[in-house]
PDB file of all heavy atoms in Angstrom:
ATOM      1  N   PRO T   1      -3.726  13.386 -21.003  1.00 93.00           N
ATOM      2  CA  PRO T   1      -3.591  14.835 -21.072  1.00 93.00           C
ATOM      3  C   PRO T   1      -4.517  15.550 -20.033  1.00 93.00           C
ATOM      4  O   PRO T   1      -5.653  15.747 -20.270  1.00 93.00           O
ATOM      5  CB  PRO T   1      -4.052  15.142 -22.530  1.00 93.00           C
ATOM      6  CG  PRO T   1      -5.023  14.060 -22.837  1.00 93.00           C
ATOM      7  CD  PRO T   1      -4.608  12.828 -22.037  1.00 93.00           C
ATOM      8  N   ALA T   2      -3.942  15.830 -18.900  1.00 91.00           N
ATOM      9  CA  ALA T   2      -4.664  16.490 -17.830  1.00 91.00           C
ATOM     10  C   ALA T   2      -4.862  17.945 -18.141  1.00 91.00           C
ATOM     11  O   ALA T   2      -4.010  18.563 -18.843  1.00 91.00           O
ATOM     12  CB  ALA T   2      -3.983  16.301 -16.478  1.00 91.00           C
ATOM     13  N   LEU T   3      -5.897  18.567 -17.613  1.00 87.00           N
ATOM     14  CA  LEU T   3      -6.157  19.975 -17.815  1.00 87.00           C
ATOM     15  C   LEU T   3      -6.239  20.654 -16.472  1.00 87.00           C
ATOM     16  O   LEU T   3      -7.116  20.379 -15.653  1.00 87.00           O
ATOM     17  CB  LEU T   3      -7.486  20.123 -18.603  1.00 87.00           C
ATOM     18  CG  LEU T   3      -7.630  21.505 -19.313  1.00 87.00           C
ATOM     19  CD1 LEU T   3      -6.596  21.673 -20.389  1.00 87.00           C
ATOM     20  CD2 LEU T   3      -9.025  21.580 -19.962  1.00 87.00           C
ATOM     21  N   GLU T   4      -5.269  21.504 -16.196  1.00 79.00           N
ATOM     22  CA  GLU T   4      -5.235  22.295 -14.923  1.00 79.00           C
ATOM     23  C   GLU T   4      -5.536  23.753 -15.240  1.00 79.00           C
ATOM     24  O   GLU T   4      -4.698  24.463 -15.750  1.00 79.00           O
ATOM     25  CB  GLU T   4      -3.858  22.172 -14.281  1.00 79.00           C
ATOM     26  CG  GLU T   4      -3.498  20.747 -13.862  1.00 79.00           C
ATOM     27  CD  GLU T   4      -4.268  20.301 -12.647  1.00 79.00           C
ATOM     28  OE1 GLU T   4      -4.966  21.166 -12.034  1.00 79.00           O
ATOM     29  OE2 GLU T   4      -4.268  19.101 -12.341  1.00 79.00           O
ATOM     30  N   GLY T   5      -6.812  24.170 -14.998  1.00 74.00           N
ATOM     31  CA  GLY T   5      -7.193  25.518 -15.391  1.00 74.00           C
ATOM     32  C   GLY T   5      -7.282  25.626 -16.883  1.00 74.00           C
ATOM     33  O   GLY T   5      -8.074  24.973 -17.520  1.00 74.00           O
ATOM     34  N   THR T   6      -6.401  26.380 -17.472  1.00 76.00           N
ATOM     35  CA  THR T   6      -6.340  26.532 -18.914  1.00 76.00           C
ATOM     36  C   THR T   6      -5.080  25.856 -19.485  1.00 76.00           C
ATOM     37  O   THR T   6      -4.809  26.000 -20.654  1.00 76.00           O
ATOM     38  CB  THR T   6      -6.306  28.055 -19.304  1.00 76.00           C
ATOM     39  OG1 THR T   6      -5.152  28.656 -18.689  1.00 76.00           O
ATOM     40  CG2 THR T   6      -7.566  28.736 -18.846  1.00 76.00           C
ATOM     41  N   ARG T   7      -4.342  25.139 -18.637  1.00 81.00           N
ATOM     42  CA  ARG T   7      -3.046  24.561 -19.036  1.00 81.00           C
ATOM     43  C   ARG T   7      -3.122  23.083 -19.176  1.00 81.00           C
ATOM     44  O   ARG T   7      -3.431  22.375 -18.202  1.00 81.00           O
ATOM     45  CB  ARG T   7      -2.013  24.959 -18.008  1.00 81.00           C
ATOM     46  CG  ARG T   7      -0.610  24.486 -18.352  1.00 81.00           C
ATOM     47  CD  ARG T   7       0.383  24.920 -17.283  1.00 81.00           C
ATOM     48  NE  ARG T   7       1.712  25.000 -17.813  1.00 81.00           N
ATOM     49  CZ  ARG T   7       2.700  25.575 -17.160  1.00 81.00           C
ATOM     50  NH1 ARG T   7       2.510  26.079 -15.981  1.00 81.00           N
ATOM     51  NH2 ARG T   7       3.905  25.646 -17.663  1.00 81.00           N
ATOM     52  N   PRO T   8      -2.870  22.522 -20.312  1.00 86.00           N
ATOM     53  CA  PRO T   8      -2.819  21.040 -20.487  1.00 86.00           C
ATOM     54  C   PRO T   8      -1.461  20.516 -20.090  1.00 86.00           C
ATOM     55  O   PRO T   8      -0.386  21.096 -20.375  1.00 86.00           O
ATOM     56  CB  PRO T   8      -3.080  20.812 -21.983  1.00 86.00           C
ATOM     57  CG  PRO T   8      -2.575  22.068 -22.639  1.00 86.00           C
ATOM     58  CD  PRO T   8      -2.754  23.198 -21.633  1.00 86.00           C
ATOM     59  N   VAL T   9      -1.436  19.410 -19.344  1.00 88.00           N
ATOM     60  CA  VAL T   9      -0.238  18.749 -18.897  1.00 88.00           C
ATOM     61  C   VAL T   9      -0.380  17.275 -19.118  1.00 88.00           C
ATOM     62  O   VAL T   9      -1.311  16.625 -18.673  1.00 88.00           O
ATOM     63  CB  VAL T   9       0.002  19.015 -17.375  1.00 88.00           C
ATOM     64  CG1 VAL T   9       1.274  18.335 -16.933  1.00 88.00           C
ATOM     65  CG2 VAL T   9       0.105  20.502 -17.082  1.00 88.00           C
ATOM     66  N   LEU T  10       0.609  16.718 -19.843  1.00 91.00           N
ATOM     67  CA  LEU T  10       0.609  15.306 -20.134  1.00 91.00           C
ATOM     68  C   LEU T  10       1.315  14.545 -19.031  1.00 91.00           C
ATOM     69  O   LEU T  10       2.486  14.864 -18.692  1.00 91.00           O
ATOM     70  CB  LEU T  10       1.272  14.975 -21.492  1.00 91.00           C
ATOM     71  CG  LEU T  10       0.297  14.937 -22.698  1.00 91.00           C
ATOM     72  CD1 LEU T  10      -0.322  16.277 -22.931  1.00 91.00           C
ATOM     73  CD2 LEU T  10       1.031  14.471 -23.955  1.00 91.00           C
ATOM     74  N   VAL T  11       0.655  13.533 -18.467  1.00 91.00           N
ATOM     75  CA  VAL T  11       1.259  12.747 -17.352  1.00 91.00           C
ATOM     76  C   VAL T  11       1.085  11.297 -17.701  1.00 91.00           C
ATOM     77  O   VAL T  11       0.289  10.873 -18.522  1.00 91.00           O
ATOM     78  CB  VAL T  11       0.553  13.036 -16.040  1.00 91.00           C
ATOM     79  CG1 VAL T  11       0.808  14.442 -15.604  1.00 91.00           C
ATOM     80  CG2 VAL T  11      -0.876  12.756 -16.086  1.00 91.00           C
ATOM     81  N   GLU T  12       1.929  10.495 -17.074  1.00 92.00           N
ATOM     82  CA  GLU T  12       1.909   9.033 -17.272  1.00 92.00           C
ATOM     83  C   GLU T  12       1.259   8.328 -16.149  1.00 92.00           C
ATOM     84  O   GLU T  12       1.580   8.563 -14.974  1.00 92.00           O
ATOM     85  CB  GLU T  12       3.353   8.502 -17.462  1.00 92.00           C
ATOM     86  CG  GLU T  12       3.424   7.006 -17.718  1.00 92.00           C
ATOM     87  CD  GLU T  12       4.826   6.517 -17.829  1.00 92.00           C
ATOM     88  OE1 GLU T  12       5.761   7.302 -17.583  1.00 92.00           O
ATOM     89  OE2 GLU T  12       5.051   5.313 -18.107  1.00 92.00           O
ATOM     90  N   VAL T  13       0.250   7.493 -16.469  1.00 94.00           N
ATOM     91  CA  VAL T  13      -0.443   6.661 -15.462  1.00 94.00           C
ATOM     92  C   VAL T  13       0.119   5.274 -15.579  1.00 94.00           C
ATOM     93  O   VAL T  13       0.063   4.656 -16.625  1.00 94.00           O
ATOM     94  CB  VAL T  13      -1.940   6.689 -15.702  1.00 94.00           C
ATOM     95  CG1 VAL T  13      -2.692   5.827 -14.666  1.00 94.00           C
ATOM     96  CG2 VAL T  13      -2.488   8.103 -15.671  1.00 94.00           C
ATOM     97  N   GLN T  14       0.593   4.729 -14.447  1.00 94.00           N
ATOM     98  CA  GLN T  14       1.181   3.393 -14.377  1.00 94.00           C
ATOM     99  C   GLN T  14       0.319   2.473 -13.534  1.00 94.00           C
ATOM    100  O   GLN T  14      -0.094   2.833 -12.461  1.00 94.00           O
ATOM    101  CB  GLN T  14       2.617   3.478 -13.855  1.00 94.00           C
ATOM    102  CG  GLN T  14       3.546   4.401 -14.617  1.00 94.00           C
ATOM    103  CD  GLN T  14       4.837   4.688 -13.848  1.00 94.00           C
ATOM    104  OE1 GLN T  14       4.937   4.412 -12.698  1.00 94.00           O
ATOM    105  NE2 GLN T  14       5.808   5.222 -14.557  1.00 94.00           N
ATOM    106  N   ALA T  15       0.137   1.231 -14.030  1.00 95.00           N
ATOM    107  CA  ALA T  15      -0.657   0.229 -13.297  1.00 95.00           C
ATOM    108  C   ALA T  15       0.111  -1.073 -13.273  1.00 95.00           C
ATOM    109  O   ALA T  15       0.861  -1.435 -14.228  1.00 95.00           O
ATOM    110  CB  ALA T  15      -1.965  -0.012 -13.965  1.00 95.00           C
ATOM    111  N   LEU T  16      -0.036  -1.819 -12.181  1.00 94.00           N
ATOM    112  CA  LEU T  16       0.649  -3.087 -11.979  1.00 94.00           C
ATOM    113  C   LEU T  16      -0.368  -4.070 -11.364  1.00 94.00           C
ATOM    114  O   LEU T  16      -1.033  -3.749 -10.370  1.00 94.00           O
ATOM    115  CB  LEU T  16       1.868  -2.939 -11.074  1.00 94.00           C
ATOM    116  CG  LEU T  16       2.625  -4.240 -10.746  1.00 94.00           C
ATOM    117  CD1 LEU T  16       3.218  -4.872 -12.000  1.00 94.00           C
ATOM    118  CD2 LEU T  16       3.658  -4.019  -9.717  1.00 94.00           C
ATOM    119  N   ILE T  17      -0.499  -5.243 -12.020  1.00 94.00           N
ATOM    120  CA  ILE T  17      -1.397  -6.297 -11.516  1.00 94.00           C
ATOM    121  C   ILE T  17      -0.581  -7.486 -11.092  1.00 94.00           C
ATOM    122  O   ILE T  17       0.223  -7.987 -11.881  1.00 94.00           O
ATOM    123  CB  ILE T  17      -2.420  -6.684 -12.629  1.00 94.00           C
ATOM    124  CG1 ILE T  17      -3.132  -5.463 -13.197  1.00 94.00           C
ATOM    125  CG2 ILE T  17      -3.387  -7.708 -12.118  1.00 94.00           C
ATOM    126  CD1 ILE T  17      -3.965  -4.751 -12.217  1.00 94.00           C
ATOM    127  N   VAL T  18      -0.813  -7.965  -9.854  1.00 92.00           N
ATOM    128  CA  VAL T  18      -0.012  -9.083  -9.317  1.00 92.00           C
ATOM    129  C   VAL T  18      -1.042 -10.148  -8.917  1.00 92.00           C
ATOM    130  O   VAL T  18      -1.886  -9.887  -8.056  1.00 92.00           O
ATOM    131  CB  VAL T  18       0.825  -8.625  -8.132  1.00 92.00           C
ATOM    132  CG1 VAL T  18       1.622  -9.849  -7.570  1.00 92.00           C
ATOM    133  CG2 VAL T  18       1.786  -7.548  -8.505  1.00 92.00           C
ATOM    134  N   ARG T  19      -0.941 -11.327  -9.526  1.00 87.00           N
ATOM    135  CA  ARG T  19      -1.797 -12.440  -9.170  1.00 87.00           C
ATOM    136  C   ARG T  19      -1.397 -13.031  -7.829  1.00 87.00           C
ATOM    137  O   ARG T  19      -0.238 -13.191  -7.542  1.00 87.00           O
ATOM    138  CB  ARG T  19      -1.751 -13.515 -10.246  1.00 87.00           C
ATOM    139  CG  ARG T  19      -2.445 -13.093 -11.549  1.00 87.00           C
ATOM    140  CD  ARG T  19      -3.889 -12.897 -11.380  1.00 87.00           C
ATOM    141  NE  ARG T  19      -4.545 -12.521 -12.624  1.00 87.00           N
ATOM    142  CZ  ARG T  19      -5.841 -12.189 -12.716  1.00 87.00           C
ATOM    143  NH1 ARG T  19      -6.603 -12.253 -11.670  1.00 87.00           N
ATOM    144  NH2 ARG T  19      -6.368 -11.852 -13.844  1.00 87.00           N
ATOM    145  N   LEU T  20      -2.415 -13.400  -7.013  1.00 84.00           N
ATOM    146  CA  LEU T  20      -2.164 -13.935  -5.694  1.00 84.00           C
ATOM    147  C   LEU T  20      -2.654 -15.401  -5.642  1.00 84.00           C
ATOM    148  O   LEU T  20      -3.433 -15.892  -6.482  1.00 84.00           O
ATOM    149  CB  LEU T  20      -2.891 -13.140  -4.635  1.00 84.00           C
ATOM    150  CG  LEU T  20      -2.470 -11.662  -4.470  1.00 84.00           C
ATOM    151  CD1 LEU T  20      -3.339 -10.988  -3.436  1.00 84.00           C
ATOM    152  CD2 LEU T  20      -1.010 -11.560  -4.089  1.00 84.00           C
ATOM    153  N   GLN T  21      -2.207 -16.096  -4.563  1.00 76.00           N
ATOM    154  CA  GLN T  21      -2.690 -17.459  -4.327  1.00 76.00           C
ATOM    155  C   GLN T  21      -4.116 -17.358  -3.891  1.00 76.00           C
ATOM    156  O   GLN T  21      -4.573 -16.348  -3.338  1.00 76.00           O
ATOM    157  CB  GLN T  21      -1.800 -18.155  -3.308  1.00 76.00           C
ATOM    158  CG  GLN T  21      -0.350 -18.280  -3.672  1.00 76.00           C
ATOM    159  CD  GLN T  21      -0.203 -19.191  -4.879  1.00 76.00           C
ATOM    160  OE1 GLN T  21      -0.968 -20.115  -5.078  1.00 76.00           O
ATOM    161  NE2 GLN T  21       0.869 -18.985  -5.656  1.00 76.00           N
ATOM    162  N   SER T  22      -4.863 -18.382  -4.094  1.00 71.00           N
ATOM    163  CA  SER T  22      -6.255 -18.433  -3.710  1.00 71.00           C
ATOM    164  C   SER T  22      -6.407 -18.259  -2.179  1.00 71.00           C
ATOM    165  O   SER T  22      -5.633 -18.840  -1.428  1.00 71.00           O
ATOM    166  CB  SER T  22      -6.946 -19.724  -4.174  1.00 71.00           C
ATOM    167  OG  SER T  22      -6.285 -20.857  -3.525  1.00 71.00           O
ATOM    168  N   GLY T  23      -7.373 -17.383  -1.779  1.00 68.00           N
ATOM    169  CA  GLY T  23      -7.610 -17.225  -0.350  1.00 68.00           C
ATOM    170  C   GLY T  23      -6.930 -15.973   0.212  1.00 68.00           C
ATOM    171  O   GLY T  23      -7.305 -15.518   1.281  1.00 68.00           O
ATOM    172  N   ALA T  24      -5.897 -15.490  -0.461  1.00 76.00           N
ATOM    173  CA  ALA T  24      -5.215 -14.265   0.021  1.00 76.00           C
ATOM    174  C   ALA T  24      -6.066 -13.025  -0.249  1.00 76.00           C
ATOM    175  O   ALA T  24      -6.807 -12.965  -1.219  1.00 76.00           O
ATOM    176  CB  ALA T  24      -3.837 -14.139  -0.568  1.00 76.00           C
ATOM    177  N   THR T  25      -5.953 -11.998   0.631  1.00 81.00           N
ATOM    178  CA  THR T  25      -6.715 -10.798   0.475  1.00 81.00           C
ATOM    179  C   THR T  25      -5.919  -9.845  -0.424  1.00 81.00           C
ATOM    180  O   THR T  25      -4.795  -9.508  -0.100  1.00 81.00           O
ATOM    181  CB  THR T  25      -6.901 -10.147   1.834  1.00 81.00           C
ATOM    182  OG1 THR T  25      -7.627 -11.028   2.702  1.00 81.00           O
ATOM    183  CG2 THR T  25      -7.710  -8.846   1.694  1.00 81.00           C
ATOM    184  N   PRO T  26      -6.469  -9.449  -1.558  1.00 87.00           N
ATOM    185  CA  PRO T  26      -5.710  -8.592  -2.456  1.00 87.00           C
ATOM    186  C   PRO T  26      -5.651  -7.178  -1.909  1.00 87.00           C
ATOM    187  O   PRO T  26      -6.527  -6.724  -1.150  1.00 87.00           O
ATOM    188  CB  PRO T  26      -6.561  -8.589  -3.763  1.00 87.00           C
ATOM    189  CG  PRO T  26      -7.930  -8.911  -3.287  1.00 87.00           C
ATOM    190  CD  PRO T  26      -7.793  -9.812  -2.095  1.00 87.00           C
ATOM    191  N   ARG T  27      -4.614  -6.490  -2.332  1.00 90.00           N
ATOM    192  CA  ARG T  27      -4.381  -5.111  -1.887  1.00 90.00           C
ATOM    193  C   ARG T  27      -4.568  -4.138  -3.003  1.00 90.00           C
ATOM    194  O   ARG T  27      -4.329  -4.453  -4.168  1.00 90.00           O
ATOM    195  CB  ARG T  27      -2.929  -4.996  -1.362  1.00 90.00           C
ATOM    196  CG  ARG T  27      -2.593  -3.643  -0.750  1.00 90.00           C
ATOM    197  CD  ARG T  27      -1.168  -3.589  -0.337  1.00 90.00           C
ATOM    198  NE  ARG T  27      -0.791  -2.266   0.166  1.00 90.00           N
ATOM    199  CZ  ARG T  27       0.408  -1.864   0.485  1.00 90.00           C
ATOM    200  NH1 ARG T  27       1.443  -2.673   0.314  1.00 90.00           N
ATOM    201  NH2 ARG T  27       0.652  -0.636   0.963  1.00 90.00           N
ATOM    202  N   ARG T  28      -5.079  -2.945  -2.610  1.00 92.00           N
ATOM    203  CA  ARG T  28      -5.277  -1.889  -3.608  1.00 92.00           C
ATOM    204  C   ARG T  28      -4.433  -0.640  -3.075  1.00 92.00           C
ATOM    205  O   ARG T  28      -4.763  -0.132  -1.986  1.00 92.00           O
ATOM    206  CB  ARG T  28      -6.764  -1.458  -3.687  1.00 92.00           C
ATOM    207  CG  ARG T  28      -7.656  -2.659  -4.010  1.00 92.00           C
ATOM    208  CD  ARG T  28      -7.552  -3.085  -5.421  1.00 92.00           C
ATOM    209  NE  ARG T  28      -8.584  -4.038  -5.805  1.00 92.00           N
ATOM    210  CZ  ARG T  28      -8.371  -5.352  -5.942  1.00 92.00           C
ATOM    211  NH1 ARG T  28      -7.154  -5.863  -5.630  1.00 92.00           N
ATOM    212  NH2 ARG T  28      -9.338  -6.177  -6.283  1.00 92.00           N
TER     213      ARG T  28
END
């Protein structure tokens, strides 16, 4: 529930985790 000034707005936060092979540089 985000708050913009006096107005609450519900937003969806999405996350994805991908496992990598050893030695690879992970990305953000």
Side-chain angles (χ1 to χ4, degrees):
L3 201 62
E4 297 288 349
T6 60
R7 182 179 205 168
V9 180
L10 267 64
V11 295
E12 182 183 3
V13 180
Q14 303 169 345
L16 177 64
I17 308 296
V18 180
R19 290 295 179 183
L20 298 178
Q21 300 294 331
S22 60
T25 302
R27 184 183 178 188
R28 308 286 190 257

